[in-house]
Amino acid sequence: MKALVQFCRWFVGILFIFSGLIKLNDPLGFSYKLDEYFSAAVLGLEFLQPLALPLAIFLVIFEVVLGVMLLIGFQKKFTIWSLLLMIVFFTFLTFYSWAFDKVTDCGCFGDAIPLVPFESFLKDVLLTILIVIMFFNMKYIQPLFAKASLKYIILVVTIFCFAIAYYVLMHLPILDFRAYKVGVNIEEGMAEDPNNPDVYAYDWYYTIDGKEEIVSTEGAPPSGYPKYDKVEPRLVEKGYVPPIHDFSIERNGEDFTADILSKEKIAVVITYNLSKSESEGLYKLNAFIDRAESAGYEVLALSASSDSQAQEIMKKYGFETTFYVTDETALKTIIRSNPGIMLLDKGTIIAKSHWNDIDSLEL
C-alpha cells in the first residue's frame, strides 16, 4: 500500500503540474473554454462568464501549486481534500460534456494535447481513483524536506506562476500549440486529404407489408426493393480534419480569402470583438498602420464585429483601414490579444504580436 500511495502521489502530482503549466502558458485560451462551459448552451451559468479569466488564472495556478504541495508533502490534508474536490468538479464537467455532447474539447491540456470529452472523462475517473487511494492512506505521505522550508517552496512556486500568467497576458503565450503558429501556411493548413474523406452509410426506409424496414448501403439504393419512403445519411467514420477549418475572409458577402492569402507583405490587425478590444491597444494602431504602410505592407483588419462598429471605432481612435469579417472563434485562436497583429507573406504567418509589443515588431 505504501508503494501504491507513492505511485499515486507522483503520478497525480506531476500530471497536475503538467496540466496546470500547459494552461498557464495560455490562460486566455482556458478562459475561453470556461466561458463556453458557463454559456446558456452548456451549464447556463451566464453570470459567471465575466469572471472566466480571473477564474481561469486562479484555477491553473492552484492546479500547479497543489501538484507541488502533493509532491513535497506540504499540508497533506488540505492538499488531498483540495485535489479531491477539484477532480470531482472536473469529472462532472467532462461527464456532462460527453453525455450531452456539449463541449468538443475539455481544454484539460490546452491546445497541446486536445482530448475529446470521453477521453477527458476517463482521465478524470482514473485521477479520482488515485486521489481516493491517497485520501484513505494519508499516513504514507510524508514531507520530502524540512517542514520549515516547505512554505517557502510554495511561496516561490506561487510567485513564479503569477509572473508567468502576467507575462503571457501582457504579451503572447511562450509556447504556441495552435494551428496558427508562426511558420504555418494557412492555405496548406486548410487543405483536405482526398484519400481520407468522411465515410457515410445511407439508411433507406421502406414500408413493406405495413411495417417499416430500414436497409443500409454505402451509396445507391438496394436492388429488389420498392420505392423508398426516405433516405438518411449516417456518418460511419470521420475522415481527415484539417488543422485550420474555420478560416475565411469576407466582406459584403464576398469571399476574399484566396486573394489575400496569395499576396506578399500583408499586415493583419485582428480584433475578434471590437466592443471588448483594449482601448490602449486601439490607440496604438494608427502609428503601427503608418509604419507598416511605409514599409510596403498592405494593412487590413479582421473582426467578427459589424461594419458600423468598425466605422465607429476607427473614427474614435483615429486610424483607418479596411475591415473584413472572420469567424470570432478563429480570430481568438489566431492570436491571444485584442487587438493583435499578424504578418503574412503569401499565406504564411511570419510574425504575430500582442498590442503591447507592436512598437518593436520588425517589419
Side-chain angles (χ1 to χ4, degrees):
M1 180 55 69
K2 184 178 180 180
L4 177 60
V5 170
Q6 296 310 311
F7 168 79
C8 296
R9 174 184 185 173
W10 285 93
F11 185 89
V12 172
I14 291 172
L15 191 63
F16 263 71
I17 293 170
F18 175 75
S19 174
L21 287 176
I22 288 292
K23 294 194 286 289
L24 187 60
N25 174 68
D26 184 15
L28 264 178
F30 186 49
S31 75
Y32 296 152
K33 187 59 61 177
L34 288 181
D35 185 82
E36 185 179 357
Y37 273 114
F38 295 151
S39 67
V42 184
L43 295 176
L45 301 174
E46 299 96 318
F47 68 94
L48 289 177
Q49 287 181 293
L51 301 175
L53 181 56
L55 277 173
I57 295 171
F58 169 77
L59 285 173
V60 297
I61 291 177
F62 193 46
E63 194 172 356
V64 174
V65 171
L66 281 178
V68 174
M69 289 173 68
L70 180 63
L71 292 186
I72 67 175
F74 180 64
Q75 296 286 343
K76 61 183 178 182
K77 287 186 178 180
F78 171 81
T79 300
I80 295 178
W81 266 106
S82 299
L83 288 169
L84 185 60
L85 292 174
M86 183 176 279
I87 200 61
V88 167
F89 172 69
F90 285 144
T91 304
F92 162 74
L93 285 184
T94 53
F95 171 77
Y96 185 82
S97 299
W98 165 56
F100 298 97
D101 196 24
K102 292 292 185 179
V103 179
T104 56
D105 174 15
C106 76
C108 302
F109 298 108
D111 293 296
I113 309 175
L115 297 178
V116 298
F118 182 65
E119 293 170 335
S120 301
F121 174 64
L122 290 182
K123 181 260 301 177
D124 288 342
V125 169
L126 173 62
L127 285 173
T128 302
I129 293 171
L130 299 182
I131 293 170
V132 167
I133 291 173
M134 290 188 291
F135 182 83
F136 288 107
N137 296 276
M138 291 187 195
K139 62 183 179 181
Y140 295 120
I141 298 177
Q142 299 299 324
L144 290 185
F145 308 104
K147 288 187 177 181
S149 65
L150 298 181
K151 60 184 177 181
Y152 295 109
I153 295 174
I154 297 304
L155 178 62
V156 170
V157 169
T158 304
I159 293 173
F160 173 73
C161 289
F162 272 106
I164 292 178
Y166 179 80
Y167 178 84
V168 297
L169 288 173
M170 292 297 103
H171 303 280
L172 289 177
I174 299 167
L175 299 174
D176 192 348
F177 298 104
R178 286 157 289 152
Y180 297 91
K181 55 180 170 286
V182 173
V184 165
N185 183 280
I186 294 177
E187 277 195 309
E188 292 177 1
M190 293 192 293
E192 298 184 355
D193 183 358
N195 298 316
N196 189 11
D198 292 343
V199 177
Y200 285 91
Y202 295 85
D203 296 329
W204 305 85
Y205 289 77
Y206 298 91
T207 302
I208 299 176
D209 297 330
K211 295 182 179 180
E212 183 180 73
E213 185 173 337
I214 304 172
V215 180
S216 297
T217 70
E218 295 181 356
S223 58
Y225 283 82
K227 181 176 175 58
Y228 60 88
D229 299 325
K230 63 178 181 178
V231 59
E232 293 181 351
R234 173 168 46 85
L235 182 64
V236 175
E237 183 179 342
K238 188 67 179 174
Y240 172 74
V241 179
I244 299 176
H245 51 272
D246 52 1
F247 181 82
S248 65
I249 302 173
E250 299 178 358
R251 181 173 172 81
N252 298 326
E254 187 176 352
D255 193 326
F256 291 88
T257 310
D259 177 53
I260 290 172
L261 294 182
S262 68
K263 294 180 179 180
E264 299 178 350
K265 300 186 78 171
I266 298 292
V268 185
V269 177
I270 297 175
T271 57
Y272 74 85
N273 187 321
L274 286 165
S275 65
K276 296 180 180 179
S277 295
E278 297 185 65
S279 58
E280 190 176 348
L282 292 172
Y283 276 119
K284 285 189 170 187
L285 291 180
N286 195 21
F288 170 77
I289 291 171
D290 289 343
R291 189 164 69 93
E293 289 177 341
S294 298
Y297 280 80
E298 178 183 342
V299 182
L300 56 92
L302 302 182
S303 179
S305 301
S306 66
D307 189 60
S308 61
Q309 284 180 295
Q311 297 301 321
E312 182 181 338
I313 288 292
M314 285 191 290
K315 182 178 179 181
K316 179 178 178 180
Y317 292 95
F319 67 90
E320 188 172 341
T321 187
T322 303
F323 269 82
Y324 294 84
V325 176
T326 298
D327 176 71
E328 182 171 318
T329 301
L331 295 178
K332 286 181 176 180
T333 306
I334 291 171
I335 194 164
R336 304 302 199 204
S337 176
N338 188 22
I341 303 296
M342 175 174 66
L343 302 183
L344 296 174
D345 186 75
K346 293 185 177 180
T348 298
I349 302 171
I350 58 175
K352 295 196 294 186
S353 174
H354 191 283
W355 63 261
N356 267 322
D357 303 317
I358 59 176
D359 293 338
S360 59
L361 178 62
E362 292 185 14
L363 296 170

